[in-house]
Amino acid sequence: MLDFDVRALAVLDCLESCGYQAFLVGGCVRDSLRNVEIHDYDITTSALPQQILKFFSDYPVVETGIRHGTVTVLWEGLPVEVTTYRVDGEYADGRHPDEVRFTPSLEEDLARRDFTINAMAFSPSRGFYDPFGGREDLSREILRCVGEPRRRFSEDGLRILRGLRFAAVTGFTLEKETRRALIDLRDGLRKVSAERIREEFVKLLCGKNAAAVLREFPQVIGGFLPEILPTVGFDQRN
């Protein structure tokens, strides 16, 4: 049995008792499997946004990103993000989907996520759901994109830096094709705001494996921090 805050499980139970599928998803599942502290709780559900608002009308609710299906429920002081199963449209700006489509399929929802270790879902009543092998990658300490790496990084340039941040924090190794795509598409970071780059980079620097990541990926970090690049004899294409 995975270990989660009882308040997050209460939100899950509420959605289930109303007749809808609901799973804890993403980082909270990953971190529980790693036996590290969980900082954020996310739930994915078959319930639509207006239904979610109705179910939790007796609790403080923030319409965090209701256009994209996300509301935040504050349950006894714990913020829990609840998002309807969705499929993302095209990413014309290289950061955000132009539109989203709600879907009844949990697997379709998980398929849009960045890395396999973030595409696992769990419900006490329905069990563990891991269609992309995230649990195996977690045990092998590998970072691998869900689906085609080039597509994932082209959709959202921030995923490039998130990949390096996860490598720094966990000490995991980037899978070969994921690593190559991350390097090749590093210019996608130019579409990311300075504030978001700073936020991810600070987390990277706090990681136990930060020095190794900085040494291994100077051509990526150098895109926004040129001071890290060697001045002589360095080929940024590699």
Side-chain angles (χ1 to χ4, degrees):
M1 180 68 177
L2 300 181
D3 186 24
F4 299 105
D5 192 303
V6 294
R7 294 170 293 178
L9 294 175
V11 176
L12 203 69
D13 289 343
C14 180
L15 291 162
E16 292 274 2
S17 66
C18 292
Y20 293 88
Q21 295 180 11
F23 291 82
L24 291 158
V25 70
C28 62
V29 178
R30 176 197 70 225
D31 290 344
S32 182
L33 287 170
R34 294 182 62 224
N35 294 314
V36 300
E37 183 181 359
I38 297 172
H39 295 285
D40 301 294
Y41 280 93
D42 293 278
I43 288 174
T44 187
T45 179
S46 59
L48 296 173
Q50 293 304 321
Q51 294 169 325
I52 298 169
L53 291 174
K54 178 181 177 181
F55 300 154
F56 296 100
S57 59
D58 291 336
Y59 292 86
V61 175
V62 181
E63 297 182 12
T64 317
I66 197 164
R67 187 168 67 90
H68 289 167
T70 301
V71 301
T72 299
V73 177
L74 192 65
W75 189 287
E76 297 181 2
L78 179 72
V80 181
E81 280 204 353
V82 182
T83 303
T84 304
Y85 297 163
R86 76 183 205 197
V87 176
D88 293 342
E90 296 298 316
Y91 286 69
D93 67 353
R95 276 290 289 122
H96 310 96
D98 299 339
E99 60 180 1
V100 300
R101 172 175 60 85
F102 299 136
T103 173
S105 169
L106 172 60
E107 183 165 345
E108 283 189 330
D109 180 81
L110 296 178
R112 69 180 175 82
R113 297 172 186 267
D114 51 9
F115 302 100
T116 61
I117 63 171
N118 296 330
M120 300 180 286
F122 175 78
S123 160
S125 62
R126 299 176 185 271
F128 192 75
Y129 195 69
D130 179 25
F132 304 106
R135 194 166 193 170
E136 181 180 356
D137 286 345
L138 201 64
S139 66
R140 296 168 59 200
E141 299 190 345
I142 289 175
L143 287 169
R144 178 166 58 92
C145 281
V146 174
E148 169 53 46
R150 289 182 175 273
R151 178 178 179 181
R152 293 284 85 85
F153 292 131
S154 296
E155 288 171 338
D156 182 357
L158 184 62
R159 290 172 176 166
I160 295 166
L161 194 52
R162 276 172 58 84
L164 297 189
R165 188 251 291 183
F166 284 129
V169 171
T170 64
F172 289 7
T173 301
L174 285 156
E175 176 268 335
K176 181 181 177 181
E177 293 303 318
T178 297
R179 182 185 188 279
R180 172 53 62 185
L182 183 149
I183 293 172
D184 288 349
L185 299 175
R186 61 188 180 276
D187 284 350
L189 281 170
R190 295 178 180 177
K191 299 177 181 179
V192 181
S193 70
E195 291 78 12
R196 291 310 305 275
I197 286 178
R198 179 184 179 279
E199 180 181 342
E200 288 294 327
F201 189 53
V202 168
K203 292 177 181 177
L204 185 160
L205 292 176
C206 293
K208 64 181 182 181
N209 206 42
V213 169
L214 294 176
R215 288 194 297 267
E216 185 177 357
F217 296 96
Q219 67 276 68
V220 179
I221 305 298
F224 59 88
L225 189 67
E227 292 83 359
I228 200 173
L229 295 173
T231 56
V232 179
F234 178 71
D235 185 351
Q236 293 192 44
R237 296 172 295 177
N238 296 322

